Each structure stands twice: as C-alpha cells, then as structure tokens.
C-alpha cells in the first residue's frame, strides 16, 4: 500500500502549513486547498484517502456543503472526514456527524492529539474492512444478515450500504446480542481514544444506523435503547419484544 493521501481544506495558511509539516513527517501525502470550491475541482483528478475540513470557508461552499458533495460521490463516499473548526456549538458538532463525518475537533487544538485521532480513524477503517475478530462470520437476525467476510449487510435480501464505522458498530453489537453497552464503552471500543465524554457521537451514529436497517427507525427492532444504560442488539425473531 502506498502513502495515505490526506486533503486539508483550510483557509488559514498558518494552520494549513502547520498540519502539512506535521502530517508529512508522519508519512502522509498532503493536498492543500484553501476553499471548498478549489477542493471540489481538485478531487476530480486526485485520489484522496482522508479529508480534514474546516467549516467556515470562503467561496460559494462551506465545509458542510463540501462534506455533502464528498459523501454523494461514489469515489469518496467511504473516505473518512474529520471536521476542524472554531465553531464549538454542540449543534454544529451533531450536524457534522449527521452528514457522515468521523470526528469533530475544535480550534485551538493539540496537533499530537489530532494526529492520534487520524491514526485511530485509519486503524478503525482497516479493521472494519478486514474483520479478523473471533466469532461468527455470518450473523442472521430475522430479516437482517451480516456477512463479516464479504463485508455485506442485507435487509430482507437487499444490500444496505454502511460506512466502515457503521458496519463495525452494528457488527460489535450483533456479536454481543443482548448485552447492554454504555455510550462511554462504545466510544472506547469503537473510537479507540478519549472523546472527552461527548456521547452525542454515539447517539448520532446509532440514529444513522437505524435509518438504514430498521423498518421504522422510531420504533427499532434490532438496536434497542436501554434507558439510563445505553444500547443493545436484539434478534426480533428469537423473542417477543418487551420494551
């Protein structure tokens, strides 16, 4: 595998150059763009493995617009996105995660921590793609089928497209059917670093996952909320739901 390519969309030259210097030292190839419009043109001819995106950008598109564009592109839909922004409103963080970003870091930030988060996201993506954990290779729960060898999820025989994180989250819960996991434990197991207690990250990804696998996301059959405790996976074909 060649060097990983990271695109940084950031209009502050000092931050761009600092990230360029430090990430290059870590062995990544870096592409810099000062606004989203420039970045969109560049990715037409570039291969990018990871995006670092500022939210407040000059031009016709902000960072959220760029993420929507990337996630709608077949070429980059599974590429991780890390938002880097001075906006620390919880609503902005949730909005970014809802769009499919993997992480949200607020400015000012510690560059070593940022690099650790990038490495964690890459590691999680690789683990999700390879799935070398012990346990069953195929999990079937009523209309839901998870094939960890083929990296496929089917609902009533129809394929469902999940991000690597969504696939890993679903697989982890399904392999531990009936066991309740707190948000903090899920953060530790799946994100792999201290997320400073921002458990909204888990809630947002659970909500996104439910929209893809549940017939009625507001009345889930597979991923169940246990009030005050967290989440668990249930097979509706095995037992009568009592929640």
């Amino acid at each position: 595998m060649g060097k990983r390519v990271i695109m940084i969309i950031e209009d502050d030259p000092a931050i761009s150059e600092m990230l360029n210097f430090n990430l290059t030292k870590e062995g990544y190839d870096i592409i810099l763009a000062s606004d989203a419009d420039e970045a969109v043109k560049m990715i037409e001819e570039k291969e990018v493995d990871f995006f670092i995106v500022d939210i407040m950008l000059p031009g016709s598109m902000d960072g959220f617009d760029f993420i929507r564009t990337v996630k709608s592109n077949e070429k980059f839909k599974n590429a991780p996105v890390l938002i880097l922004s001075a906006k620390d409103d919880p609503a902005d963080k949730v909005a970014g995660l809802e769009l499919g970003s993997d992480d949200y870091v607020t400015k000012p930030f510690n560059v070593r921590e940022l690099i650790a988060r990038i490495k964690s996201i890459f590691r999680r993506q690789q683990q999700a793609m390879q799935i070398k954990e012990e346990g069953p290779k195929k999990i079937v729960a009523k209309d839901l089928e998870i094939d960890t060898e083929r990296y496929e999820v089917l609902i009533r025989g129809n394929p469902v497209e999940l991000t690597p994180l969504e696939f890993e989250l679903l697989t982890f819960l399904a392999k531990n059917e009936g066991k309740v996991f707190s948000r903090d434990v899920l953060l530790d197991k799946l994100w792999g670093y201290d997320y400073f207690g921002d458990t909204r990250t888990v809630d947002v990804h659970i909500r996104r996952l439910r929209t893809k696998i549940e017939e009625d996301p507001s009345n889930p059959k597979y991923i169940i909320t246990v009030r005050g405790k967290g989440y668990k996976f249930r097979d509706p074909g095995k037992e009568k739901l009592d929640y």
Side-chain angles (χ1 to χ4, degrees), residues 17-39:
E17 289 306 320
M18 182 268 289
L19 289 174
N20 185 20
F21 175 77
N22 283 279
L23 290 172
T24 298
K25 283 205 313 180
E26 292 293 328
Y28 300 111
D29 280 340
I30 305 301
I31 301 172
L32 299 178
S34 59
D35 60 61
D37 299 280
E38 178 186 13

Side-chain angles (χ1 to χ4, degrees), residues 37-68:
D37 299 280
E38 178 186 13
V40 169
K41 293 178 182 178
M42 293 174 73
I43 62 176
E44 292 178 359
E45 300 178 357
K46 301 284 186 180
E47 295 293 334
V48 180
D49 300 303
F50 195 108
F51 294 92
I52 298 176
V53 185
D54 189 10
I55 294 302
M56 296 182 289
L57 294 168
S60 64
M61 302 172 64
D62 64 13
F64 288 146
D65 294 328
F66 178 77
I67 294 170
R68 291 188 189 94

Side-chain angles (χ1 to χ4, degrees), residues 103 116-117 119-121 123-124 127 165 168 183-195:
D103 206 344
R117 292 189 178 208
K119 288 181 177 179
S120 178
I121 292 170
R123 184 167 56 251
R124 185 177 66 235
Q127 289 172 346
L165 177 55
E168 190 175 355
R183 293 163 176 82
D184 287 330
V185 169
L186 289 173
L187 280 173
D188 181 63
K189 292 286 188 182
L190 300 174
W191 277 255
Y193 55 79
D194 183 0
Y195 208 78

Side-chain angles (χ1 to χ4, degrees), residues 212-229:
K212 295 181 178 183
I213 69 168
E214 301 282 2
E215 188 173 359
D216 179 5
S218 63
N219 182 31
K221 304 293 186 184
Y222 297 102
I223 301 177
I224 309 302
T225 301
V226 180
R227 290 185 181 181
K229 299 294 184 180

Side-chain angles (χ1 to χ4, degrees), residues 115-183:
I115 291 171
R117 292 189 178 208
I118 292 169
K119 288 181 177 179
S120 178
I121 292 170
F122 272 135
R123 184 167 56 251
R124 185 177 66 235
Q125 183 186 46
Q126 185 175 4
Q127 289 172 346
M129 294 299 293
Q130 293 178 349
I131 305 294
K132 292 184 177 179
E133 301 173 85
E134 294 182 0
K137 298 301 182 184
K138 185 174 290 188
I139 304 168
V140 179
K142 200 176 180 181
D143 297 327
L144 174 67
E145 182 177 321
I146 306 167
D147 190 324
T148 61
E149 284 191 313
R150 295 175 178 268
Y151 196 68
E152 291 179 345
V153 174
L154 304 175
I155 289 287
R156 292 177 291 279
N158 298 312
V160 178
E161 286 203 4
L162 301 181
T163 66
L165 177 55
E166 290 166 349
F167 183 86
E168 190 175 355
L169 176 58
L170 176 61
T171 301
F172 177 77
L173 289 172
K175 284 185 175 181
N176 294 278
E177 181 186 350
K179 187 179 295 186
V180 179
F181 293 95
S182 70
R183 293 163 176 82

